[in-house]
Amino acid sequence: MRLAVATIVLIVAGLIYAWSIFRAPLSAAFPGWTSTQMSLTFTLSITFYCLGGFFAGRLSHRLSVAAILRISAATLLAGFLCISFLLRGAGAV
């Protein structure tokens, strides 16, 4: 069980590097965005990814690993839901 969870965690941890998958729909949804503006979205993503690791490390002294994984999964899901609503609102999906 732990091996399966660890594998899933590693797969999810690499999602930030799947930026190239999200860039095309975002470019189509927001044709007025420059490449600098598109890069800003990745910069924000990687910044919050790093901050999440920092805060998870700080929380590891107070919470169990399972609780931190649940919080991480919930915030990841919330992020994907937010971007899906953003894309639907722009007519990209």
Side-chain angles (χ1 to χ4, degrees), residues 43-64:
T43 302
L44 289 172
S45 297
I46 201 75
T47 300
F48 283 103
Y49 178 79
C50 293
L51 286 173
F54 173 76
F55 287 118
R58 301 286 293 185
L59 284 174
S60 67
H61 299 291
R62 298 182 192 148
L63 299 175
S64 69

Side-chain angles (χ1 to χ4, degrees), residues 16-80:
I16 191 70
Y17 301 108
W19 169 245
S20 60
I21 294 171
F22 296 116
R23 188 164 192 247
L26 283 173
S27 293
F30 303 102
W33 285 13
T34 65
S35 61
T36 303
Q37 290 169 321
M38 290 300 292
S39 296
L40 178 63
T41 56
F42 177 76
T43 302
L44 289 172
S45 297
I46 201 75
T47 300
F48 283 103
Y49 178 79
C50 293
L51 286 173
F54 173 76
F55 287 118
R58 301 286 293 185
L59 284 174
S60 67
H61 299 291
R62 298 182 192 148
L63 299 175
S64 69
V65 173
I68 293 172
L69 284 174
R70 286 186 188 103
I71 292 168
S72 300
T75 56
L76 180 69
L77 176 65
F80 278 128

